[in-house]
Amino acid sequence: MSAPDPLPSLLIAVPAVILACHAGAALVRRLGQPPVIGEIATGILLGPSLFGWLWPDAQQWLFPSSIAPFTSVLGQLGLLAFMFLVGLELDLNALRGHSRTAVAVSQASVLLPLALGSLLALAMFGTLSPPGVDRLPFVLFIAVSMSVTAFPVLARILTDRNLYGTPTGALAMACAAVDDVTAWCLLAVVVAVGSSESALGALTSAALTVVFVLLMFKVVRPVLARLAARASGAGDGAVLVLLFSGLCLASLATDELGVHALFGAFLFGVVTPRGSRDVERSAARLRAVAVPLLLPLFFVHTGMKTDLALLAADPEQWLWAGAVLVVAVAGKFGGSTLAARVTGRSWRQSATIGALMNCRGLTELVVLNIGLELGVIGPGLFTMLVLMALVTTAATAPAVSWLRRKDADGPADATPEARPGAVGDAASTAETLPADSAKTPASEEALSRR
């Protein structure tokens, strides 16, 4: 007897997920939170933590096991497209006028979480680590998961709070740009170590990845610029085909190298030429499909693996969850705040930067899913880290608003580094609008979603 056709179930589940995530995003937007908070929370509520606990038969009907591979693949495609867009919108020109401070703050906001996360992981090892996992990949992964900042969500919060174009906002975006690149490079190393069976295999994977990155910048980037120029005459469709095919092939290459497909999509976005209206329009079209229609499937896929019952069964698990949250905030908020203060910022401005850098959002979920997929962390620790990501992201906007009420960021805070020209350059990064004249389809769509 043949297996039942999964298509009817898929045609029910997909719109249900999209509509539920859209409703969750609209609800939290009314509360002054970025939409991704509602989407993450909706994914968790549709999983075993609530829907599966209250009405397991209905959850099984809506999400039968036969459609899980299909929803997972669709969600991963949406995630690959999103990571490409993050790479495309990551503009390191934001460092102009802020390079010294941005590098100091971003590296402090990575190094301190790495150190504290490593100590926490050493304490967790043997208790929360999956059976058979070596100490090194476990410690490295926990350390990296503590050092992540959600660049897209941070940009959305800055825009919603009218902080873009201010000295604090420009500096925060510059710090997040450096942080993003550093975190993804570290994650690539962790994946290489976690997926290799020997130290030689990990070193080989890392070396080949470095060669691949150099090829992308030295060979693929100029070739892509010429192909995009030629395809522009053929219309947006040809450029869109070129971009989507390229991100898929780059993802395949890094997946074969052992550093995960998402790294390839992100890298392809970084090397894609800027300044072309055809590229901008094609990126906006890709975002219009991937972000509202495919990414919700990734949120639900994450929610299905997040089970609060695993923590409720053992009160000690909640103590570990609290330790995860404390270490995450102390490392990210503390490191960023102290570094900003050392470089000459006021305590209030330093604390605002620290609160912004503590935002983790979707980027953290991407990292955590990679760890679970590799078997470096188990379901219980995965749930703790997802909760940490949700809490730190939800706390960012209220913390920034409170700090702003105490000390409005105005012209008096301006420094020679943050002169209007420098701020304008910094504000040209992904999910922001430096000025009305600089609006692009991609940036407008980015603002509406993240």
Side-chain angles (χ1 to χ4, degrees), residues 95 97-106 171 175 339 342-345 417:
L95 291 175
H98 296 282
S99 56
R100 175 178 170 272
T101 304
V103 170
V105 172
S106 61
L171 177 58
C175 294
V342 168
T343 57
R345 306 289 163 165
E417 287 184 324

Side-chain angles (χ1 to χ4, degrees), residues 65 71 84 124 129 160 172 183 191 193 201 243 298 346 393 432-433:
S65 57
T71 55
F84 160 76
M124 287 178 168
S129 58
D160 288 347
V191 173
V193 171
L243 294 181
F298 169 74
S346 68
T393 307
T432 56
L433 297 176

Side-chain angles (χ1 to χ4, degrees), residues 87-102:
L88 178 64
E89 295 164 350
L90 185 66
D91 186 1
L92 294 181
N93 286 330
L95 291 175
R96 189 178 302 171
H98 296 282
S99 56
R100 175 178 170 272
T101 304

Side-chain angles (χ1 to χ4, degrees), residues 374-437:
L374 291 174
V376 178
I377 58 174
L381 185 52
F382 176 82
T383 298
M384 295 178 194
L385 292 168
V386 169
L387 287 178
M388 178 272 290
L390 185 61
V391 171
T392 54
T393 307
T396 302
V400 170
S401 295
W402 183 80
L403 289 166
R404 289 279 290 164
R405 281 198 298 269
K406 293 292 183 180
D407 182 22
D409 186 2
D413 287 337
T415 67
E417 287 184 324
R419 63 191 182 277
V423 172
D425 292 331
S428 64
T429 52
E431 322 222 45
T432 56
L433 297 176
D436 290 341
S437 60

Side-chain angles (χ1 to χ4, degrees), residues 44 49 77 83 108 111 144 147 150 154 167 186 193 209 253 294 298 386:
I44 294 174
S49 296
L77 277 176
M83 291 310 302
L111 292 176
V144 171
S147 63
L154 183 149
L186 289 172
V193 171
T209 302
L294 297 180
F298 169 74
V386 169

